């Protein structure tokens, strides 16, 4: 009996950005749900699912075996981009469910392996500006961005391919494609954040002008982004 993948809506949205026929490396593979789903749907040819710890690696191995996909998905115990070599023919890398700073660190540690890559699909849980700054500084162009909500939390997906794109601090904070499209998810995320900041501002005493000014600047930046 073939295992049905217990994939979240967040990863389903990530799957939408994986090119058809890709050879995927899924870093920090979260039980290998993403590559299993993509293979079961016939959307990619093969994948490497990597984990840095023994427990998650064993879980991924068990799920791949239960899905009958041992020939198409190789599970590897490795740190970040150490999970693959150029001979593996990886064309797309997904890094999902981690902090933005950690994603940037993973990319930095393995950046020499990214020269022949077609696409990066990144889903930071926070500090998205760190991810965009890294992409801007290392000759990657952001081709798509998406904000989705799951269990009352907003998640961002950032899709990039090789190509020059210098981003301003404002674009790094809010996302260049988001600022072009201003999708419903993007607006909902930043309106929620705006409400939190306005509430915080009201609680800061007038005497604390430094703190008040810092929050006011953040409020004005959000208003500019969502106008």
């Amino acid at each position: 009996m073939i295992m049905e993948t217990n994939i979240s809506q967040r990863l389903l949205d990530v799957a939408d950005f994986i090119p058809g026929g890709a050879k995927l490396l899924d870093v920090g593979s979260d039980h290998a749900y993403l590559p299993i789903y993509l293979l079961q749907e016939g959307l990619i040819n093969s994948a490497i699912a990597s984990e840095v710890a023994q427990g998650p690696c064993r879980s991924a191995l068990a799920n791949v075996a239960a899905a009958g996909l041992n020939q198409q998905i190789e599970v590897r115990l490795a740190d970040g981009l150490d999970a693959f070599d150029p001979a593996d023919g990886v064309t797309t890398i997904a890094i999902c469910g981690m902090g933005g700073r950690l994603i940037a660190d993973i990319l930095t540690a393995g950046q020499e392996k990214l020269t022949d890559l077609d696409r990066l699909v990144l889903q930071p849980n926070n500090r998205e500006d760190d991810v965009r700054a890294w992409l801007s500084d290392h000759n990657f162009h952001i081709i798509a961005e998406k904000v989705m909500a799951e269990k009352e939390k907003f998640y961002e997906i950032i899709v990039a391919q090789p190509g020059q794109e210098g981003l301003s601090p404002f674009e790094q904070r809010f996302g260049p494609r988001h600022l072009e499209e201003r999708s419903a998810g993007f607006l909902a995320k930043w309106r929620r954040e705006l409400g939190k900041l306005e509430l915080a501002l009201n609680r800061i005493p007038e005497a604390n002008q430094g703190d008040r000014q810092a929050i006011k600047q953040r409020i004005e930046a959000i208003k500019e982004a969502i106008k």
Side-chain angles (χ1 to χ4, degrees), residues 206-223:
E206 289 289 343
N208 296 356
Q209 280 301 310
D211 292 343
R212 289 182 61 84
Q213 191 59 34
I215 291 183
K216 283 180 179 178
Q217 289 175 353
R218 292 168 64 187
I219 286 173
E220 289 308 309
I222 293 172
K223 286 181 175 178

Side-chain angles (χ1 to χ4, degrees), residues 34-59:
L34 178 63
I36 289 171
Y37 169 80
L38 291 166
L39 262 298
Q40 287 179 337
E41 296 297 315
L43 299 173
I44 63 172
N45 296 327
S46 60
I48 299 168
S50 76
E51 284 289 356
V52 71
Q54 288 280 0
C57 190
R58 285 193 293 267
S59 177

Side-chain angles (χ1 to χ4, degrees), residues 10-204:
R10 175 178 59 87
L11 288 179
L12 284 173
D13 284 6
V14 169
D16 287 340
F17 294 104
I18 306 297
K23 172 65 179 282
L24 174 69
L25 169 64
D26 187 24
V27 177
S29 195
D30 188 24
H31 308 287
Y33 289 148
L34 178 63
I36 289 171
Y37 169 80
L38 291 166
L39 262 298
Q40 287 179 337
E41 296 297 315
L43 299 173
I44 63 172
N45 296 327
S46 60
I48 299 168
S50 76
E51 284 289 356
V52 71
Q54 288 280 0
C57 190
R58 285 193 293 267
S59 177
L61 281 165
N63 288 338
V64 169
L69 291 170
N70 286 321
Q71 297 303 310
Q72 291 98 340
I73 301 175
E74 185 177 355
V75 179
R76 295 180 181 175
L77 181 66
D79 186 3
L81 302 188
D82 288 344
F84 85 108
D85 293 309
D88 290 311
V90 167
T91 61
T92 296
I93 295 175
I95 311 178
C96 304
M98 305 179 196
R101 183 68 258 157
L102 177 56
I103 290 175
D105 288 345
I106 287 170
L107 294 171
T108 296
Q111 61 185 298
E112 73 282 353
K113 294 184 173 183
L114 302 177
T115 52
D116 296 324
L117 200 70
D118 292 339
R119 182 171 292 191
L120 289 169
V121 183
L122 311 172
Q123 186 272 295
N125 287 346
N126 53 43
R127 298 188 67 163
E128 297 86 2
D129 50 336
D130 283 342
V131 175
R132 295 189 186 100
W134 191 95
L135 295 169
S136 178
D137 291 343
H138 293 84
N139 295 321
F140 276 86
H141 173 75
I142 296 173
I143 61 170
E145 296 178 292
K146 181 172 183 174
V147 175
M148 62 86 59
E150 185 174 77
K151 297 180 180 178
E152 300 186 359
K153 178 174 171 55
F154 289 108
Y155 296 94
E156 292 207 28
I157 301 167
I158 301 169
V159 186
Q161 63 186 26
Q164 193 105 29
E165 180 181 37
L167 299 178
S168 68
F170 187 78
E171 290 171 320
Q172 291 174 17
R173 181 74 183 107
F174 295 102
R177 307 292 82 81
H178 286 318
L179 292 169
E180 291 170 356
E181 299 165 8
R182 290 182 167 85
S183 68
F186 172 77
L187 295 174
K189 171 183 175 172
W190 287 109
R191 282 170 179 157
R192 179 192 285 183
E193 183 64 19
L194 180 62
K196 291 178 180 178
L197 289 172
E198 289 175 337
L199 187 63
L201 181 63
N202 289 334
R203 292 173 174 171
I204 296 176

